[in-house]
Amino acid sequence: QQQVKQSPQSLIVQKGGIPIINCAYENTAFDYFPWYQQFPGKGPALLIAIRPDVSEKKEGRFTISFNKSAKQFSLHIMDSQPGDSATYFCAASENAGGTSYGKLTFGQGTILTVHP
Amino acid sequence: DAGITQSPRHKVTETGTPVTLRCHQTENHRYMYWYRQDPGHGLRLIHYSYGVKDTDKGEVSDGYSVSRSKTEDFLLTLESATSSQTSVYFCAISTVWGQDSPLHFGNGTRLTVT
């Protein structure tokens, strides 16, 4: 059972374009939503994260938009660059106390290719 | 890589054999995790540890066991490897206490079970 559904599976854009990756979740107890970026041969690394009390968060060229009522959130990459080519994972977790920390439910991943 | 070393980086093994993957950290962080990454599934939590000898099951723990006898080492064992356990395995640590603490992942072990 996939509790976090991510789309699209792959995405190709030209340099300067704005790729958008979408995620939808089912568990209303989720209250922390990070995005991870993964380059080939490496482990994922935290990119940006949001909590449901805000509708948008920006860090540099990366923006998360959050729609609590629809149980959806998305990642936008402004002015995308070839160096942004990577696999992106959305994730979610619920705060169930100390031993729940780090227990993330990940989406399926999106392979982003940015052409020069 | 937050001082995380996974070994081996690649392994090919036969069905039915036991396999142990090692995760070593140099910074004595308390929380450690094993995830597996598969196409179409993203990453899924296998087991995690919140201290020496304190471990618990994750989402996909069947067929796996773990041990943590020292803070710096977290071992993942496949008791009898099956083809469905062909995957890329990632170890991760949390460096700060709290839900917001990012996971820091190692570079993974690619395991192929033939």
Side-chain angles (χ1 to χ4, degrees):
Chain A
Q1 180 183 2
Q2 192 75 37
Q3 292 193 57
V4 178
K5 295 185 178 180
Q6 183 173 344
S7 62
Q9 286 187 327
S10 61
L11 187 54
I12 300 173
V13 299
Q14 295 295 316
K15 177 182 175 182
I18 306 176
I20 300 173
I21 304 171
N22 300 299
C23 287
Y25 63 97
E26 300 167 6
N27 185 351
T28 55
F30 287 151
D31 64 352
Y32 175 66
F33 302 89
W35 285 86
Y36 280 77
Q37 178 188 54
Q38 182 183 31
F39 294 105
K42 302 293 186 180
L46 179 66
L47 186 63
I48 186 174
I50 196 169
R51 289 194 174 273
D53 54 344
V54 297
S55 60
E56 186 176 278
K57 183 175 181 180
K58 290 184 180 181
E59 286 187 6
R61 295 184 293 106
F62 300 92
T63 298
I64 302 177
S65 298
F66 191 87
N67 185 329
K68 186 175 181 178
S69 61
K71 294 187 287 186
Q72 295 175 347
F73 57 110
S74 59
L75 177 70
H76 302 233
I77 305 176
M78 309 301 290
D79 187 27
S80 59
Q81 302 296 312
D84 296 329
S85 297
T87 301
Y88 293 82
F89 293 96
C90 62
S93 73
E94 58 179 286
N95 189 348
T99 57
S100 71
Y101 300 155
K103 293 172 67 176
L104 296 176
T105 299
F106 283 86
Q108 297 94 324
T110 297
I111 301 172
L112 172 66
T113 303
V114 182
H115 287 312
Chain B
D1 296 334
I4 301 170
T5 303
Q6 290 188 234
S7 58
R9 290 297 314 276
H10 301 272
K11 185 169 183 67
V12 179
T13 192
E14 294 184 348
T15 298
T17 59
V19 177
T20 295
L21 309 182
R22 180 180 184 236
C23 177
H24 177 78
Q25 57 147 329
T26 59
E27 300 179 8
N28 291 321
H29 294 294
R30 181 178 174 188
Y31 286 76
M32 299 184 75
Y33 310 83
W34 278 107
Y35 281 84
R36 60 178 287 176
Q37 182 177 355
D38 304 286
H41 292 277
L43 291 96
R44 292 176 290 175
L45 181 64
I46 306 171
H47 280 281
Y48 61 102
S49 170
Y50 35 95
V52 173
K53 291 186 169 44
D54 282 329
T55 65
D56 207 344
K57 297 179 180 180
E59 178 188 355
V60 290
S61 60
D62 287 349
Y64 302 95
S65 62
V66 290
S67 65
R68 192 162 177 208
S69 58
K70 298 184 293 184
T71 301
E72 59 266 35
D73 288 325
F74 191 29
L75 305 180
L76 176 71
T77 297
L78 289 65
E79 304 290 348
S80 177
T82 67
S83 58
S84 65
Q85 294 176 311
T86 292
S87 185
V88 181
Y89 292 86
F90 286 99
C91 173
I93 63 174
S94 290
T95 59
V96 178
W97 173 265
Q99 188 184 22
D100 292 3
S101 175
L103 288 180
H104 297 272
F105 287 86
N107 287 331
T109 293
R110 181 173 295 276
L111 176 67
T112 302
V113 183
T114 61

